[in-house]
Amino acid sequence: FSLSLNSLTVSIPSSNGSLAQVTHLWLTSNFLTGSIPSSIGSLTQLTRLSLGSNSLRGNISSSIGSLAQLTSLSISLNLMTGSIPSSIASLTQLTGLWLYSNSLTGSIPSSIESLTQLTYLEFHTNSLTGSIPSSIGSLTQLTGLYLCDNLLSGSIPSSIGSLTQLTYLLTGSIPSSLCSIGLQPVIDCSEVQCNCCRSSEFGASC
């Protein structure tokens, strides 16, 4: 079900029982406003959910963790605030997670280690704080990790050296453990402004 690339200006309705059997929901690139209703968690057959490039605001509902069949989730390029809900760790089938270009705060949940199918993780251009959890080294299928343009502190954990599939790393300074995996190319966003980054979500890179 797709209504992407229109000029819809409504909010997402809180009553969506008629969509209970929908597996793909694309509402990208509209002018949607308001918050993401907690009832989104009732769409348990969804495998792909894209709400990117709108004007959605408020917190990411913890009910999103009920969407256990999701393989792709994008809420990028909105006005979302609050923290990344720990319930997102329940989405163990995810291969792509795009939450970039919002105003998300708080830390990266260490429970993200359960998302072992991820190939792309993009949290860049938010206001995330704290350190990068060492548990991120469990995501051994990652080919792209984009965390730049946040307020993260500390160093990149050496556990990232376990991510042998990485081809793009955009965050902070590079630990020596990455030398062993032949990362190509390595981009240090402490020196390269993150507005040069073009998301993997659309098949592009920096």
Side-chain angles (χ1 to χ4, degrees), residues 75-152:
I75 313 177
S76 57
L77 293 160
N78 277 288
L79 304 170
M80 304 301 295
T81 54
S83 59
I84 299 170
S86 58
S87 63
I88 212 162
S90 300
L91 307 180
T92 57
Q93 301 304 308
L94 278 182
T95 59
L97 177 57
W98 295 278
L99 302 180
Y100 65 88
S101 295
N102 281 287
S103 296
L104 297 173
T105 56
S107 60
I108 299 171
S110 59
S111 57
I112 201 169
E113 65 183 348
S114 64
L115 305 183
T116 56
Q117 301 304 308
L118 278 179
T119 57
Y120 280 99
L121 175 61
E122 300 201 23
F123 289 169
H124 68 80
T125 320
N126 280 288
S127 296
L128 298 174
T129 55
S131 60
I132 300 171
S134 60
S135 58
I136 210 161
S138 299
L139 309 182
T140 56
Q141 300 304 308
L142 279 180
T143 59
L145 175 60
Y146 300 72
L147 301 177
C148 59
D149 201 8
N150 277 289
L151 302 173
L152 298 170

Side-chain angles (χ1 to χ4, degrees), residues 52-71:
S53 299
N54 282 290
S55 296
L56 297 169
R57 60 183 67 240
N59 295 345
I60 300 174
S61 173
S62 61
S63 69
I64 210 153
S66 299
L67 305 180
Q69 304 303 313
L70 276 186
T71 60

Side-chain angles (χ1 to χ4, degrees), residues 165-188:
Q165 304 301 312
L166 271 183
T167 54
Y168 292 99
L169 173 68
L170 287 118
T171 177
S173 56
I174 308 304
S176 59
S177 61
L178 288 177
C179 297
S180 63
I181 68 175
L183 188 61
Q184 199 61 232
V186 171
I187 300 177
D188 182 346

